[in-house]
Structures are given as structure tokens and as C-alpha cells.
Amino acid sequence: MTSNEIEVDEENEEKPKNFYELELDDRILKAVAKLGWLEPTLIQEKAIPLLLEGKDILIRARTGSGKTAAFAIPLIQKILLNKRNQKKQEVKGLIVAPSKELCKQIHDVVASLTIKCSREVRVVDVSPQVDLSAQKPLLAEKPDIVVGTPSRLLQHLKANNVKLKQSLETLIVDEADLIFSFGYEDEIKNLLNYLPTVYQAALASATLSEDVVTLKKLVLHNPAILKLEEPPLAPLSQLAHYSLAAQESDKAAILYALLKLNLIRGKTIIFVNTVDRCYKLKLFLEQFGIPTCVLNSELPAVSRCRAVTQFNSGTYDIIIASDEKSLEEVSQIVKRSAIYRPLTILLPFQPHVVKVKRGKRKRDKESGVARGIDFQFVSNVINFDFPLDVNSYIHRAGRTARGKNQGTALSFVSIKERLLLEAVEDQLKHCYNRESLFKTYQFKLEEVEGFRYRAKDAWKAVTRIAVREARLKEIKQEVLNCAKLKSYFEDNPRDLQSLRQDKALHTVKLQPHLKDVPDYIVPPTLRRLIGVGKRKRKFDREAAGSRSTATQSKHQARASNPLISLQIKKSK
């Protein structure tokens, strides 16, 4: 280990200090107290003093360890200190992140930390949520901190909407190991040409990959490297890993049984390997009255942020997401004109069908699905499809057991996925000094044969056409809600009318009786657990108050039933 590398051992480290011992501004301490943070995390305790000293640092710590606050707090502290001698308003801090969702997330954290000094420290998010021209007035006010993706920041710099050559003091790159993998290598190199010669820099990353080493050489100068010596995931006392052997045809039935029998409780993220599988699973669960939302990286950033917000706020307890690698799959040639990819159509009311050529499915370059997004208070992560590599498993399981919360990662493993499970276990069990990382989830599918019978028909009902129609319906909704198309529809009201009066889509037919679980299909061992089989009383005698009142209520019930109270008089 070189002299500028600092290893932080979580087990041998003393108890972290309180925030007030870090000599922070009172306004920051009040904001921290309002957020409910009792003490800094280990990485925050080590990183904040180094950044306040003006050193370049490279922060490597797992997701959920508090990296965002580790670089945001000292940045705000420095700006507040310099405000006393600052003569004019200038941009002092630049935070770069690879996706729009991460930019919004970082902006929200900084805004929460500056809630007591919002007049002194202003922060602006210029990620591609709206047009470039709409963000120009925000940058004209020269906010203290600017957050954005590399490509959008470069666009503003080339348009002279913001100038950093003379004013910038701190550059921060979050999720540094994703910057190059998202295709931002050229943008980063061009962006550095618009920055001053001397500035303080910090990189934050979950891993120390080759891309991070390359970026480190471009941005940092003699940095201190903070390496949190810990497993890539939360400790086993906090995060439990389970595997469940399941045939591919039985996965849907098992998931349906687990959810309906309340064996999985709390907020849950279900991961699959393709975007189409997201919608297939969503339509499958909706047939049983299980509401879910989909995080689709092919939709605009506003839609993705809305899905995350709905999940975090509790509107949905289940969200279905896919890995970024699923978007690189090769599309198949369409043989029949009736079956086509939904994204090949610009607007749903266009009647023609566009042929699909073999190639990679397009996605938003600045979108991030499984990586870095702060899903709040997630209790369970379910790998409906097992991840394709170790890093994908780490990032999936890292969505739960964040901070000091407990979490569970349950993986459905088919015969074909067994080798993937063994590869993940071989690489991770050494980090925990355990012979086996995964516990076997005890589940007897033969005891829920009734669930399998129902699930088989429901899964078959979700055809490829149904998935296509569901995605078209979502695209149609996005077109109707798109602010950019409002002026177009004002000039072309006939198109708007055609879109609203478009023919009904052939989605899956919902059967109301499937929402309920009959007593006879519930395993006997679980009936008492979920409250099935208890004898129901016809009348609540405690509510009735007395025997006479109960008798009166009984007669009233009899009189209100036309089949019982009906009397037929004999004619003379």
C-alpha cells in the first residue's frame, strides 16, 4: 500500500464521531439533524476532513455507505466559508454523474443539506430533463453547485451558458466506474478543457475498475485513496442470501404463491434480464390483483423518475426492473407483420408497420436502472432471472440492506442458471470467509398445486402480443403527457383526437375472482399464519350489546333478504 492509500477497516475501527466533532457549520448540522442522521458513516468520517483540507481523494465504498453525503457536506462547508470573502456570485462546485436519475438523487441530497442555508448555497440540476434553452436562465444566475451528466454539461459549456474557467474550485464525479461504460469517455476529456488548471477533485465509486484508474489519471492529482475494507455487500447479519431451485416454468407460480401467502413482506424489487420480461411479469401479477410498476430505461427520464418516486412514496410496494445488459440484446427479425417491436412506431395512431432490422435495441444513453438509484426502505430483492455476472448480482442485492436496515436477497435458480449461481458464490464467499453464501429457501411446490394450476393459465395468457400492447399503451400515455408535444397537438388537434380515440388494445383480460385466494388451495401449515379457516360469526354479539338486540338484528337481516322475507299469499 502506497503512502497516499488509506484503508478503513470496518471491524477494527472505533465508533464514528458525531457530526459536530467534524467542525461543520451550524446550518449544516441542523440540516443533518433534520434528516435524522445520528452519526457519520465510516467513509464520511474519513472523507470529510480530507476534502476540507483541500486534498484530491478517491472514495471506494459499497452502495449504501453514504458516499453522496461524504462529498456533498465538505463541498457545502467550503462554499459557506468562502462566502464571507466572495465578492461576486460564481459557480464553485461541479458534480458529474452518469445518469439523469443519479443527478436528481444527488441534487435532492444537496438540497436537503442546504435547507438551512438555501439563500447562501444554491444548487441546480441540469441533467437532460428539459430542453437546453429552458435551463439557460438557471445557469445565468450562477448557482454555487451545478449537477449534471457529462454530455449535458458539455453542451452548456459549448453554448457559453456557463463558464467555469475562472471560478470552479471543486469537481466531483459520482459512480466513476460507470462514466466510461455509459460511453462518456470523449465527453469527459472535452469537459476537462473547459475547467481551470488547478481545482480540487474527488471520485466516488463502488469498485476500483480499470475505467476508474483511467479516470483517476485524467482528473486527480496525487490523491488520497479511501478504501473501505469491507465486503462488496452488507454483512450477512444484515443481508441474508437465499437460493430457490425452480424450473423456468414454475418460477411464476412460486412468485405468485409467495406474494399471495404473505411469505414476502415489505417493499420489494423484482429483477429480470429483459425489458419485455418486466412487462410480462407485471401483466401476470396484475391478474391476481398484485399492483406493480415497471422501471423501463427505454422511456423518458421523467417517466423513470416517476416510477422510482411512486415506489419510494409507497404507491407501489413492488417494482420490476431489468439490468442494463438486457438492452444490448439482439432483436430478432419479425416474420409476421402483425408482430412488431413497440418502439418501431413513432406514434400509436400511425397505422403502418415498420420492419425491424437486426441490431441492438436503442436505449437512453443517460439512463440508469439497477445501478446507483436510491430505492428507499427496500426489504427484499428477488432475482426472478438470475444475473449474468457477479457485478450484476452485487448491484442488485445492493438495493436492499442499505445503511443499517435489514434486507433479503432471494434468487430463483433454474438448471441452466446453476453455473451462474456457483460463479457468484465462488467469488463472494471468500469476502465473507464462509464456505457457502446462499442458504436454501425451503419451499415445497407440491403443497401449492392449486397456485401452480392458476399461475400456468395466467402466464400463458400473457402472450407476446399482450406484452407489445402493454408497452404501446405506456408509450401512448407518455405521448399524451409529453409537454413538448402540447404545442404540436394545439396546431394539429385531429392527431390528438385520433390518439385519444384509438382502438382498444388487446391486453390481458382481468378476472376479478383471481384476486382472492380460496381456502382450499392454501397449505394447511400456513392457514393459521395468514388467518384462513377461522370460523366467522353471523352476528357480532358484542356490538349488538345484548341478547335482545342481537335477536332484533337477526330479524332485521332476515327482513332485508328478499329470498327469505318473500311471502306468497294464497288466493281465495
Side-chain angles (χ1 to χ4, degrees), residues 91-292:
V91 178
K92 295 296 182 181
L94 183 65
I95 303 178
V96 183
S99 70
K100 305 169 189 177
E101 291 88 349
L102 280 172
C103 289
K104 182 180 184 301
Q105 185 175 302
I106 294 169
H107 173 269
D108 293 343
V109 172
V110 176
S112 300
L113 291 170
T114 57
I115 192 169
K116 299 297 181 180
C117 54
S118 55
R119 294 183 179 180
E120 291 81 4
V121 182
R122 289 178 292 172
V123 57
V124 168
D125 177 14
V126 295
S127 57
Q129 308 281 359
V130 294
D131 292 335
L132 196 72
S133 57
Q135 295 174 343
K136 184 176 180 180
L138 298 175
L139 293 174
E141 297 178 358
K142 297 182 179 180
D144 299 277
I145 303 173
V146 176
V147 185
T149 58
S151 59
R152 178 47 66 97
L153 290 170
L154 190 59
Q155 290 175 358
H156 280 297
L157 289 168
K158 289 181 177 179
N160 288 325
N161 294 340
V162 61
K163 295 181 180 180
L164 304 174
K165 201 73 175 179
Q166 305 296 329
S167 64
L168 188 72
E169 294 180 352
T170 306
L171 169 67
I172 297 170
V173 181
D174 194 17
E175 297 292 348
D177 52 338
L178 285 185
I179 290 291
F180 285 172
S181 63
F182 272 49
Y184 287 130
E185 185 172 0
D186 294 336
E187 284 89 343
I188 286 291
K189 292 178 179 178
N190 293 331
L191 181 65
L192 296 177
N193 296 327
Y194 291 88
L195 304 186
T197 307
V198 180
Y199 56 87
Q200 183 185 10
L203 300 182
S205 173
T207 60
L208 291 178
S209 62
E210 294 181 2
D211 290 341
V212 177
V213 175
T214 305
L215 190 59
K216 167 191 163 187
K217 295 177 181 177
L218 290 173
V219 176
L220 303 180
H221 303 281
N222 192 27
I225 302 177
L226 283 177
K227 297 168 63 178
L228 196 58
E229 290 302 309
E230 61 177 359
L233 292 170
L236 297 180
S237 59
Q238 185 179 351
L239 174 59
H241 303 262
Y242 290 94
S243 65
L244 197 162
Q247 296 182 13
E248 194 65 37
S249 58
D250 292 333
K251 286 184 177 181
I254 294 173
L255 181 63
Y256 163 48
L258 291 175
L259 293 175
K260 273 299 186 180
L261 293 175
N262 294 325
L263 298 178
I264 295 177
R265 301 180 181 180
K267 300 178 72 172
T268 303
I269 304 177
I270 302 175
F271 281 105
V272 293
N273 286 341
T274 64
V275 178
D276 283 346
R277 291 270 281 185
C278 288
Y279 287 92
K280 186 174 180 67
L281 196 57
K282 173 183 171 65
L283 293 175
F284 168 77
L285 293 176
E286 281 182 349
Q287 295 181 72
F288 302 105
I290 303 174
T292 62

Side-chain angles (χ1 to χ4, degrees), residues 510-522:
L510 299 180
Q511 304 179 55
H513 71 276
L514 292 179
K515 295 182 180 180
D516 300 324
V517 179
D519 296 357
Y520 64 86
I521 71 172
V522 178

